[in-house]
Amino acid sequence: MDRRTLLAALAALPAAARAQGTMPANWSALIGTYRLPDWFRDAKFGIWAHWSAQCVPEFGDWYGRRMYQQGDPFYDHHLKTYGHPADRGFMEIENLWRAEAWDPAWLVRRYKAAGAKYVMALACHHDNLDAYDSAHHAWNTLRVGPRRDIVGTWERAVRAEGLRFGVSNHASHAWHWYQPAYAYDTEGPRAGERYDAWHLTKEDGAGTWWEGLDPQELYGGAVMAPPPGITSTAGMAAWHATHDGRWMEFSPPGNPAFADKWLLRQNDLVDKYRPDIVYFDNYGLPFGPVGVAAAAHYYNGAIARDGVTDVVLTAKVLSPFERQALVEDVERGWSDRLRDQPWQTCTCIGDWHYNRARFLQRSYVPAKQVIQRLCDVVAKNGNLLLSIPMRGDGTIDAEEERVLDGITAWMQLNGEAAIHGSRPWRIYGEGPTSVQAGMHTEGDTLFTPQDVRFTVTGDTLNAVLLDWPGQPVRIAALGRTALPAARIERATLTGGRPVPFRRTADALELDLPPAASGDMIPVVRLEGAGLV
């Protein structure tokens, strides 16, 4: 699609927006109109099918970029398994994605049993393959790989279970993320020979599986390709880090049509599948006013359907101003405070894209740590979006099922009592363990029984101990000095077991019974006047 055709299509958008809603595409209108829906605040927990062709090699995240970087283990794996990237690039891996064992209805039921109130499907990752019936991008899963509408199939399965449905869009970064596909080996027998994206054209597809498709439309064009003459892997790595390895939210140099087309694709996605939540993998909104136009179009569609903006749009590293119209997502990170506005953290029990080594090494994040994370986030007014990596064939492995089993057991006992529909208390909690705020700060945080998180459901104050204690626990925030007007009349574990307690001036002291088999994170429900 040339730029003239794109501009003609975009010119029709304002009229369509007026037919759907009245919000113009500017920040003042977004902020003045948007209201966060209660369903999101009540949901607290979602599961993410972060699934694309990059799961096919079973080697981890960002395969479609790192396979083009000589000296990287991904490059070595690709060379050994599939061939040299000049001969067989990532577009060939896209077509190996078959989803042949995928049972979305079973997976959604599994996620629902684990307490998820929304399920998110990956619509397009940085590898630029639309996993849906895309009207504006020929590289989509109806023509390539699975030969089916992945997002549409997820949507039907999720809505059939009465859950909220979401999509994630990462495509705005494809243009710089894919630039290593235009690079070359700097060392060895094929030094200087450019990889597949450099030389492949639409005409080269005649008689192949990709006949009629233009590889340049997938790879984004050589807008920031490394120059010739780099003679070491270290030099090439440094070049990528300085240039295309940055996280860029602007249009590619010399190719403004990329952003125009991104807007058409994004609007098509939300119009077709009516997601309740959209995840942008962006710092703020992408492409300046183009991203604002996408947000306005999404909100206008919701207003046309429901009369209100009963939807959620997340982005990252937001200013206080932007957080009035968007929900901030903190990727693989923590908050060190109780936030005034609802937020979300997204994380994964393994690599974002399936990595077989996690299964073999049994190195997934265990259920106990997932629940600790969930309770910490919810106490701080947030939601947890958890990715369970899927294999290219559409299945999850036995170790992932084990993690899900643990999450399910805890959520079926405690979810409705302390998580779903809850609200934060006056403070998020107390305890000796600190967390580092911000993105990509997870690490291995070791919580103790003295780390307490509070949530409120109805008239009940829930005190969640982030590990099962072997001795009495003291909660200073609930002592008579800290809370003089309150009376604590009853303390029980979820399920009804009474918990002996003593209240002194300094603290509330709890004597929990020993942990039974399978117990991991106790929830003590506190009832009495003046607690909430």
Side-chain angles (χ1 to χ4, degrees):
M1 185 182 294
D2 60 25
R3 181 162 172 76
R4 180 178 297 177
T5 305
L6 282 167
L7 291 175
L10 287 166
L13 290 179
R18 283 194 297 272
Q20 294 183 354
T22 58
M23 188 190 307
N26 62 65
W27 275 106
S28 295
L30 294 181
I31 291 170
T33 305
Y34 185 69
R35 299 294 180 272
L36 182 73
D38 284 340
W39 73 257
F40 181 75
R41 297 200 69 193
D42 292 340
K44 303 303 182 189
F45 183 46
I47 288 183
W48 192 0
H50 193 282
W51 184 42
S52 78
Q54 291 182 84
C55 298
V56 171
E58 300 192 346
F59 206 70
D61 201 28
W62 281 28
Y63 189 95
R65 175 178 170 89
R66 295 178 64 183
M67 59 158 279
Y68 290 108
Q69 296 180 276
Q70 190 180 28
D72 191 297
F74 284 66
Y75 172 96
D76 297 335
H77 175 82
H78 191 82
L79 193 67
K80 177 181 177 181
T81 309
Y82 302 106
H84 193 274
D87 304 325
R88 200 172 190 202
F90 193 73
M91 60 178 274
E92 298 290 344
I93 308 301
E94 303 274 28
N95 197 49
L96 293 179
W97 185 21
R98 289 289 184 263
E100 64 272 20
W102 181 37
D103 186 346
W106 181 84
L107 287 168
V108 171
R109 288 194 298 271
R110 193 81 161 84
Y111 300 157
K112 181 179 180 179
K117 296 296 185 181
Y118 55 106
V119 173
M120 182 168 290
L122 189 151
C124 185
H125 203 253
H126 310 317
D127 63 342
N128 212 22
L129 182 71
D130 285 350
Y132 59 95
D133 186 11
S134 181
H136 302 288
H137 190 52
W139 287 88
N140 64 71
T141 55
L142 278 77
R143 298 186 62 174
V144 177
R147 305 302 199 276
R148 62 190 297 186
D149 185 348
I150 298 294
V151 169
T153 306
W154 276 123
E155 187 228 353
R156 290 188 294 275
V158 171
R159 297 203 191 280
E161 292 297 325
L163 303 178
R164 296 283 181 164
F165 176 65
V167 295
S168 66
N169 187 345
H170 315 245
S172 65
H173 294 288
W175 70 268
H176 66 86
W177 188 86
Y178 254 148
Q179 289 305 299
Y182 294 90
Y184 51 87
D185 285 2
T186 57
E187 303 171 7
R190 301 183 72 166
E193 182 180 352
R194 296 274 182 176
Y195 301 141
D196 68 317
W198 181 265
H199 58 80
L200 288 176
T201 66
K202 185 175 183 178
E203 290 69 30
D204 294 324
T208 71
W209 66 264
W210 52 277
E211 184 170 0
L213 296 173
D214 185 354
Q216 298 310 308
E217 193 177 345
L218 178 72
Y219 290 125
V223 295
M224 203 178 279
I230 300 174
T231 57
S232 70
T233 56
M236 182 64 81
W239 198 95
H240 285 311
T242 301
H243 296 84
D244 55 73
R246 295 175 293 144
W247 203 244
M248 292 174 269
E249 302 295 356
F250 49 82
S251 300
N255 184 19
F258 183 90
D260 297 339
K261 184 177 175 182
W262 175 89
L263 178 59
L264 289 173
R265 290 162 66 186
Q266 168 62 22
N267 288 351
D268 180 44
L269 174 65
V270 299
D271 290 347
K272 277 193 171 85
Y273 305 104
R274 302 168 292 107
D276 300 294
I277 178 170
V278 171
Y279 173 109
F280 280 170
D281 195 359
N282 299 94
Y283 293 179
L285 294 175
F287 307 129
V290 173
V292 175
H297 183 87
Y298 179 43
Y299 290 165
N300 277 327
I303 293 169
R305 288 191 306 273
D306 304 313
V308 294
T309 52
D310 193 36
V311 294
V312 176
L313 176 58
T314 73
K316 302 171 184 178
V317 194
L318 301 180
S319 69
F321 180 77
E322 292 170 318
R323 289 199 294 270
Q324 297 177 72
L326 308 169
V327 170
E328 184 164 30
D329 181 87
V330 179
E331 181 178 345
R332 287 193 181 273
W334 301 90
S335 175
D336 60 357
R337 68 189 191 279
L338 170 55
R339 294 190 174 209
D340 293 336
Q341 296 164 309
W343 59 289
Q344 176 181 269
T345 187
C346 63
T347 190
C348 184
I349 65 168
D351 294 8
W352 285 122
H353 285 100
Y354 189 84
N355 186 348
R356 186 68 173 171
R358 291 277 191 171
F359 170 75
L360 298 174
Q361 298 164 3
R362 296 188 173 183
S363 61
Y364 289 119
V365 176
K368 180 178 177 179
Q369 288 185 28
V370 172
I371 297 301
Q372 289 173 329
R373 183 66 172 280
L374 174 66
C375 294
D376 179 80
V377 168
V378 170
K380 295 170 180 174
N381 204 22
N383 285 22
L384 174 64
L385 177 63
L386 180 71
S387 171
I388 307 293
M390 294 170 62
R391 305 181 71 187
D393 67 3
T395 61
I396 59 176
D397 66 43
E399 288 300 310
E400 292 176 297
E401 289 214 50
R402 189 191 309 274
V403 174
L404 271 174
D405 287 343
I407 297 170
T408 301
W410 192 90
M411 288 293 283
Q412 288 187 347
L413 177 63
N414 299 290
E416 294 304 317
I419 301 297
H420 298 137
S422 70
R423 294 294 182 266
W425 194 51
R426 305 169 193 183
I427 60 174
Y428 71 80
E430 64 181 50
T433 306
S434 61
V435 296
Q436 182 180 351
M439 302 239 297
H440 304 289
T441 58
E442 287 180 330
D444 292 321
T445 302
L446 300 177
F447 289 108
T448 73
Q450 288 71 44
D451 290 302
V452 182
R453 297 296 180 263
F454 298 120
T455 69
V456 175
T457 48
D459 295 328
T460 300
L461 174 62
N462 304 296
V464 184
L465 313 183
L466 295 186
D467 202 356
W468 203 284
Q471 57 189 19
V473 171
R474 292 170 50 85
I475 304 176
L478 300 180
R480 286 199 302 268
T481 300
L483 213 61
R487 295 197 316 272
I488 299 175
E489 299 163 1
R490 188 165 180 251
T492 57
L493 289 171
T494 308
R497 281 186 289 174
V499 176
F501 67 92
R502 297 171 300 281
R503 194 170 184 227
T504 67
D506 295 334
L508 173 68
E509 298 180 1
L510 299 171
D511 293 318
L512 272 70
S517 176
D519 284 343
M520 50 183 176
I521 309 294
V523 175
V524 181
R525 295 172 56 78
L526 302 170
E527 298 170 87
L531 280 175
V532 298

